[in-house]
Amino acid sequence: MSHSTYNSLWSGAHEELSCLLPQELPEEPLRPERDRVVFFQRIATFYVRYVQIFRHLEEAYDLSVHPQKRRVIRQVLDSVMGRVLELKNEMVEKEFSEYHYMDDIIQDLKLTPEDLEIPIPRYFICERNKVLQDRERMFAAILNQMDVTEKSGPPVMRMLTLERAIKVIQVAERARQGRLRAKFMREIHRDSERQKRAEEETVSTDQAAVCIQKVWRGFMQRKITKRLREEEMIFLGMALDPKLSYPSQTELIAQNNKAMRRTRQEEHEDDYQKSIGSVIHQLREVEGSEMKETMKDQIRQWFIECRDATGSFPDYPEEEDGGSALIFAEKTPEELADELAVKEEEDANKNPKGKEDTKEKGKKSKIEDEEEEPGLKMLPSACLSDLERSHKTFSEVWKNRNESKNFSQRHELELIKEDKRKEIEVEIRKQVDELMRQELANWKLAVDKEKSGKVKGAAKKKKASKSAKRKKKDKDLTADRTTESLFEELVEQELVKKPENVKLKDYLGDYSYLGTTLRQTDIEPMPSLSDVRQVVTLYAVLPLGSQAVHEKSPLVKTILLVGPSGVGKKMLVHAICQETGANLFDLSPLNVAKKYPGRNGLQMMLHLVFKVARLMQPSVIWIGDAEKMFYKKVPKEEKELDPKRLKKDLPKILKSIRGEDCVLIVGTTSDPHSADLKSLCKFYNKIILIPRPDYASRYVMWKELIKKNGGEVTGDLDLSSLAKISDGYTQGHMVQVVRSILTERRIQQFPKRPLTASEFVSPLARIDPVFQEEEEALKNWYAKTPLGKKRIKAASGKEGDEEPPKTGGKAGKKKGKK
């Protein structure tokens, strides 16, 4: 695609933003909404529209070549991602569910379920290629070194036991007898065939010709009928043309163009960075001295105006307050002097009166809150101000810009000069402030005979020293070691693992088309695998992939994936690492057992893991079998492993994770009933229930798994029946069955014997499915979690929109007594 295509995507996204921002930031605040359904519809509509903007901006940013445009698009893209996460968080708080169904909304907006799919920005990996390659080399070197040390050890002699020796002899003897029996039966079969041929009468030439014609005509007619049926299905749009199964010439050209655009991005970025250096040097040489003299003259003029107006020289603003930048604000000298005087009074007068005032203000604010109109309001946003600012930049700079001469989409020097001129002005202003402070002190001594006070600066320095002392209290147990050595140790201890090469799109599943309809009839639907994929993308992939999004969006530190074994929980963990380029740390109870023994060893292990996780972020800390860490009662066979080893220390370290730390703890469990519910829910602030696949997801999975493992989906394979009879089986079961059927020998037989659904029945019958009782037990367990309880209360109508949580608790107690 051409440059104009991506420019139109960008401008189209901003046109949609120009419609959304006035609705989100109205001139007069909206009245609270009392109807929860209407309020949720409004938020969900915003969410869907922002997802569309997100998709357009991601496409535009990925293949735009202009370096300055890319920076502006990136700012809007990060803000839109943050706003999508904020709206998702608000929908969860208003509907009390991690899964939301918007069939009616996408129908009203004339969209398809695919348009609602959350895209994963490609810059998460593309812009970290060098870091990921270096980490890959480091991993390979450590693993090779470990293999060498293992091979260099003495060879281990394995003694053959008597039972094993007898078993080997029996197997060999039975195989020999079987071969002899097969040879004997083959000879008998040959003798019988010879006798039949001798007994058969000779066939005439005419009879033979008629027989051959019948067979040939039947074969040709069946072939023609099959071809006509396939053509009819293709014409009706119910089958794919075989020609389209392979990429066409235009698709190959488009892929090559994309690769060329990405290389051109790197070239233009290098030129842009070189131009920045030359422009900064030029501005410092040409305009630096003139800026400095102009600032000095302006500040001296301000000194004189303030003395004429107030009778004395003003105090020079401190650097923390902005320095001389405050002087050039659109204010009179009297106003500036008054502001500085007020600040001095506030700093000096720290008496109990101020505390009383704050108490009175707090009481007033509480009374005002109580008097506010009841209803639902949207939560404050940290991204809307950035969105508004970025939209304003686009409208003022890029919307009507003439780029007819910039056909190659290279950077523009004038824009670089405008940006860097401000930075150089800030640098020079700091230098000028130091000189003018001294000059002001000399003026005061010479004219007013006053001493320049430096009490505030000293006081501030003392405060800084206190904060520095506080920071020093946190001991670094490995201050003398490099990050590479720590990483190597963790790899050797198998606490850092290489994530498997799976993507989130490999987690197959179809959209839930009846979610809204079921909820309208007071039936809580089970989420589809497409909903699971979207939730994982929102909570894990987007915040980990972008530092800006992680800092602005609602902070999610921990996620618990709950579901039957085989539904793909571990696969999702590896997919999160692959999509974001994150390191994978394994703190599963079985993996941690007997490593770093003792109390000091445990502290050292957690220190190593979280230090490397922060230094090499983004990082994912995986806790498999998460229920073991919160066992109600530890089983006898697991007491030696001490599965509750991390229960006390890990929550303490979790509190130290902040917005700037791209670290996520992901737990997986298939048996949450054995854990203490209260402590488990306290540690994991997001609990995602993953169900077994529904009919639509099973249909898609059978089709894709068979193709992925070398099979062919033909008309002889009834996928609908196969999806129906595999109800209750998980993704793991389906993968196991497909691999057992599609052997090399079976793949070679496809031209003569195509696949049928009956071949998959017997392998499925040997596997125990996930029964309805197990799924109902997981649903009942989830209903006891904090979010599940809120959902039940909201569905039963016990919890009103205006009631605070305290009254709801009391009412619950009274009902319990009755």
Side-chain angles (χ1 to χ4, degrees):
M1 287 189 277
S2 62
H3 304 307
S4 60
T5 305
Y6 302 107
N7 289 338
S8 63
L9 283 173
W10 184 26
S11 60
H14 276 281
E15 285 177 9
E16 185 69 14
L17 273 177
S18 63
C19 299
L20 276 174
L21 288 175
Q23 297 178 32
E24 293 240 71
L25 299 169
E27 295 180 359
E28 296 182 1
L30 296 172
R31 295 182 63 184
E33 180 62 54
R34 296 195 175 189
D35 191 345
R36 186 178 292 273
V37 176
V38 174
F39 187 75
F40 177 79
Q41 288 289 322
R42 186 198 305 167
I43 299 174
T45 306
F46 283 152
Y47 172 81
V48 173
R49 292 174 71 181
Y50 271 113
V51 168
Q52 301 312 303
I53 296 171
F54 178 20
R55 293 174 69 89
H56 293 322
L57 288 173
E58 196 278 327
E59 184 72 21
Y61 179 76
D62 182 49
L63 293 172
S64 291
V65 176
H66 198 295
Q68 289 157 311
K69 283 183 185 177
R70 282 173 59 79
R71 277 161 174 75
V72 179
I73 297 172
R74 173 70 178 273
Q75 292 174 0
V76 188
L77 179 59
D78 288 342
S79 299
V80 168
M81 280 195 282
R83 186 60 188 148
V84 167
L85 294 176
E86 286 177 346
L87 290 170
K88 173 66 178 178
N89 182 57
E90 195 152 359
M91 286 193 293
V92 171
E93 291 191 1
K94 296 299 183 291
E95 207 179 24
F96 309 118
S97 174
E98 299 291 353
Y99 300 104
H100 312 289
Y101 306 100
M102 292 169 269
D103 324 340
D104 50 348
I105 295 173
I106 62 174
Q107 188 175 358
D108 294 340
L109 296 174
K110 296 180 180 179
L111 300 172
T112 63
E114 293 178 359
D115 295 326
L116 206 61
E117 191 75 25
I118 305 295
I120 297 173
R122 282 157 279 192
Y123 78 82
F124 287 177
I125 298 297
C126 292
E127 295 186 1
R128 299 186 67 242
N129 262 334
K130 292 182 180 179
V131 177
L132 296 176
Q133 287 173 3
D134 292 341
R135 193 181 72 190
E136 198 72 24
R137 292 192 202 98
M138 195 190 308
F139 234 118
I142 295 169
L143 294 175
N144 288 335
Q145 187 178 355
M146 290 171 63
D147 290 341
V148 169
T149 53
E150 288 176 2
K151 290 177 182 177
S152 60
V156 179
M157 298 295 293
R158 294 183 179 179
M159 299 298 292
L160 191 65
T161 61
L162 180 62
E163 293 178 358
R164 179 65 181 167
I166 293 171
K167 192 172 182 180
V168 170
I169 294 170
Q170 286 178 343
V171 169
E173 177 60 23
R174 286 169 184 167
R176 187 187 67 81
Q177 291 177 5
R179 286 193 295 271
L180 289 175
R181 192 179 298 108
K183 185 179 178 182
F184 180 67
M185 294 301 295
R186 200 181 300 118
E187 290 176 355
I188 293 173
H189 185 63
R190 285 174 185 171
D191 294 340
S192 62
E193 283 185 352
R194 287 171 191 165
Q195 290 177 2
K196 284 181 181 180
R197 288 173 187 172
E199 292 174 357
E200 286 179 356
E201 297 179 357
T202 57
V203 181
S204 65
T205 307
D206 294 338
Q207 290 176 339
V210 169
C211 184
I212 293 170
Q213 286 176 359
K214 282 169 61 179
V215 173
W216 176 251
R217 286 174 181 171
F219 169 75
M220 289 302 296
Q221 189 59 45
R222 285 192 297 272
K223 193 173 180 181
I224 292 167
T225 306
K226 184 180 178 182
R227 180 172 55 80
L228 291 173
R229 189 182 293 115
E230 289 175 355
E231 289 177 357
E232 182 183 7
M233 297 297 283
I234 292 168
F235 176 74
L236 294 173
M238 299 180 69
L240 185 67
D241 192 348
K243 296 177 182 177
L244 301 177
S245 59
Y246 300 98
S248 63
Q249 189 66 26
T250 52
E251 289 178 339
L252 295 173
I253 292 169
Q255 291 174 4
N256 292 332
N257 289 339
K258 284 184 179 180
M260 289 171 65
R261 290 185 77 89
R262 288 198 173 94
T263 55
R264 205 178 301 169
Q265 280 177 2
E266 297 176 2
E267 293 172 4
H268 288 195
E269 182 66 25
D270 293 340
D271 293 344
Y272 176 68
Q273 295 297 337
K274 291 174 184 176
S275 298
I276 287 175
S278 61
V279 166
I280 290 174
H281 180 72
Q282 183 183 359
L283 289 174
R284 280 177 181 159
E285 292 292 326
V286 176
E287 300 181 14
S289 57
E290 186 179 348
M291 282 184 188
K292 188 179 289 186
E293 293 302 323
T294 305
M295 288 180 192
K296 285 182 179 179
D297 293 340
Q298 289 175 344
I299 294 169
R300 289 191 187 104
Q301 184 65 28
W302 180 69
F303 292 164
I304 295 166
E305 288 177 3
C306 285
R307 192 175 188 281
D308 292 341
T310 60
S312 62
F313 287 113
D315 291 331
Y316 205 91
E318 297 291 336
E319 284 187 18
E320 295 177 358
D321 299 329
S324 60
L326 291 175
I327 299 169
F328 303 114
E330 295 178 358
K331 294 177 184 177
T332 61
E334 291 85 355
E335 289 174 345
L336 280 172
D338 292 339
E339 283 187 6
L340 292 172
V342 169
K343 283 185 180 179
E344 288 177 3
E345 288 178 3
E346 287 178 355
D347 293 337
N349 299 330
K350 292 182 179 179
N351 51 7
K353 290 182 181 178
K355 294 180 181 178
E356 291 174 4
D357 293 339
T358 55
K359 287 180 181 177
E360 290 177 2
K361 288 179 182 178
K363 289 178 181 177
K364 288 180 182 178
S365 63
K366 286 180 181 177
I367 293 167
E368 288 174 0
D369 291 340
E370 290 175 0
E371 292 177 355
E372 283 183 359
E373 187 177 353
L376 297 169
K377 291 183 179 180
M378 294 190 73
L379 299 173
S381 171
C383 301
L384 282 176
S385 56
D386 296 335
L387 266 177
E388 195 174 19
R389 199 181 306 116
S390 303
H391 181 63
K392 187 179 179 182
T393 303
F394 169 79
S395 302
E396 293 176 353
V397 180
W398 296 102
K399 186 176 182 179
N400 299 317
R401 197 173 192 84
N402 185 12
E403 292 188 292
S404 57
K405 296 181 180 179
N406 190 9
F407 180 74
S408 61
Q409 290 289 292
R410 292 188 175 272
H411 59 271
E412 299 184 24
L413 284 173
E414 289 302 320
L415 292 175
I416 298 176
K417 287 181 180 179
E418 288 177 13
D419 290 339
K420 298 304 169 185
R421 192 176 281 117
K422 295 175 184 177
E423 295 180 9
I424 292 169
E425 189 176 345
V426 172
E427 292 177 8
I428 293 174
R429 190 181 298 283
K430 290 180 181 178
Q431 299 172 7
V432 170
D433 285 350
E434 294 178 4
L435 297 173
M436 297 311 294
R437 254 189 213 98
Q438 188 63 38
E439 188 172 331
L440 178 61
N442 295 336
W443 283 23
K444 286 183 178 181
L445 287 172
V447 180
D448 296 338
K449 296 183 180 180
E450 294 175 356
K451 294 184 178 180
S452 59
K454 297 182 181 178
V455 181
K456 291 182 184 178
K460 287 176 182 176
K461 285 181 181 176
K462 286 180 183 177
K463 287 181 183 178
S465 63
K466 285 181 183 178
S467 63
K469 286 179 182 177
R470 286 176 187 172
K471 288 181 180 178
K472 287 180 181 177
K473 287 182 181 178
D474 299 331
K475 293 182 180 179
D476 188 357
L477 302 176
T478 55
D480 56 339
R481 294 181 60 182
T482 61
T483 308
E484 289 76 11
S485 65
L486 299 176
F487 185 78
E488 183 177 355
E489 181 178 342
L490 291 174
V491 173
E492 289 173 354
Q493 293 293 331
E494 295 184 350
L495 294 175
V496 175
K497 293 185 176 179
K498 192 174 180 181
E500 297 174 6
N501 188 19
V502 290
K503 298 288 184 182
L504 210 57
K505 65 181 180 182
D506 298 332
Y507 192 77
L508 303 170
D510 203 0
Y511 184 76
S512 179
Y513 296 95
L514 296 175
T516 306
T517 308
L518 290 172
R519 277 194 173 173
Q520 286 173 354
T521 56
D522 295 332
I523 299 173
E524 186 62 26
M526 286 300 287
S528 69
L529 300 186
S530 174
D531 299 323
V532 175
R533 188 171 61 241
Q534 288 198 24
V535 168
V536 170
T537 305
L538 289 169
Y539 288 156
V541 177
L542 295 187
L544 284 179
S546 173
Q547 181 73 30
V549 175
H550 195 275
E551 292 176 2
K552 292 177 187 175
S553 63
L555 184 60
V556 177
K557 297 181 181 180
T558 53
I559 296 174
L560 180 64
L561 304 177
V562 183
S565 57
V567 293
K569 302 183 292 293
K570 185 178 175 182
M571 176 186 175
L572 286 172
V573 175
H574 288 275
I576 292 168
C577 296
Q578 282 291 340
E579 296 288 4
T580 59
N583 295 290
L584 179 61
F585 297 84
D586 187 0
L587 286 184
S588 303
L590 295 178
N591 190 47
V592 171
K594 299 181 181 179
K595 293 177 182 177
Y596 295 93
R599 179 71 181 169
N600 295 331
L602 179 61
Q603 290 180 354
M604 175 60 75
M605 180 182 70
L606 291 175
H607 168 75
L608 287 173
V609 168
F610 279 89
K611 182 178 180 180
V612 175
R614 286 190 177 100
L615 291 173
M616 302 180 70
Q617 57 182 295
S619 299
V620 173
I621 298 172
W622 173 44
I623 303 176
D625 297 328
E627 77 281 356
K628 294 180 184 293
M629 200 169 82
F630 300 99
Y631 263 145
K632 295 175 185 175
K633 186 179 180 181
V634 181
K636 292 181 180 179
E637 59 271 13
E638 294 186 17
K639 281 187 177 179
E640 294 182 2
L641 303 176
D642 193 11
K644 299 173 71 173
R645 188 181 177 197
L646 302 175
K647 184 179 179 181
K648 291 183 180 179
D649 293 333
L650 197 57
K652 293 177 183 177
I653 296 178
L654 181 64
K655 294 178 182 177
S656 64
I657 298 176
R658 297 180 182 177
E660 59 269 16
D661 300 326
C662 285
V663 178
L664 179 68
I665 299 176
V666 182
T668 58
T669 177
S670 56
D671 183 24
H673 311 280
S674 58
D676 180 34
L677 181 63
K678 187 176 179 181
S679 54
L680 188 72
C681 295
K682 188 178 179 181
F683 183 76
Y684 293 100
N685 53 359
K686 289 290 181 185
I687 299 176
I688 300 172
L689 183 63
I690 304 176
R692 57 185 183 177
D694 55 2
Y695 171 81
S697 298
R698 291 196 301 273
Y699 186 92
V700 173
M701 288 182 64
W702 280 119
K703 187 176 181 180
E704 294 299 324
L705 286 173
I706 289 169
K707 288 182 179 179
K708 189 176 179 180
N709 287 273
E712 293 179 3
V713 178
T714 60
D716 298 306
L717 179 60
D718 189 358
L719 285 175
S720 181
S721 300
L722 189 58
K724 189 71 177 173
I725 64 171
S726 57
D727 186 16
Y729 291 94
T730 63
Q731 298 95 310
H733 296 153
M734 294 162 72
V735 171
Q736 182 181 344
V737 168
V738 169
R739 287 179 179 171
S740 65
I741 293 295
L742 296 179
T743 59
E744 291 184 8
R745 183 180 178 185
R746 184 66 186 88
I747 291 170
Q748 291 172 359
Q749 294 174 351
F750 282 157
K752 297 179 181 178
R753 189 163 64 93
L755 272 176
T756 58
S758 59
E759 296 182 56
F760 296 89
V761 175
S762 56
L764 277 173
R766 298 190 197 103
I767 302 172
D768 291 330
V770 177
F771 294 104
Q772 190 72 24
E773 292 79 8
E774 184 177 348
E775 191 169 6
E776 287 297 326
L778 285 174
K779 287 175 71 175
N780 294 334
W781 176 86
Y782 186 77
K784 296 175 185 177
T785 62
L787 196 65
K789 289 178 181 178
K790 290 179 182 178
R791 178 68 190 166
I792 292 172
K793 285 183 180 179
S796 60
K798 293 178 183 178
E799 185 176 348
D801 297 339
E802 302 171 11
E803 290 180 356
K806 289 183 181 178
T807 58
K810 288 179 183 177
K813 286 181 183 177
K814 287 179 182 177
K815 288 177 183 177
K817 286 178 183 178
K818 286 180 182 179

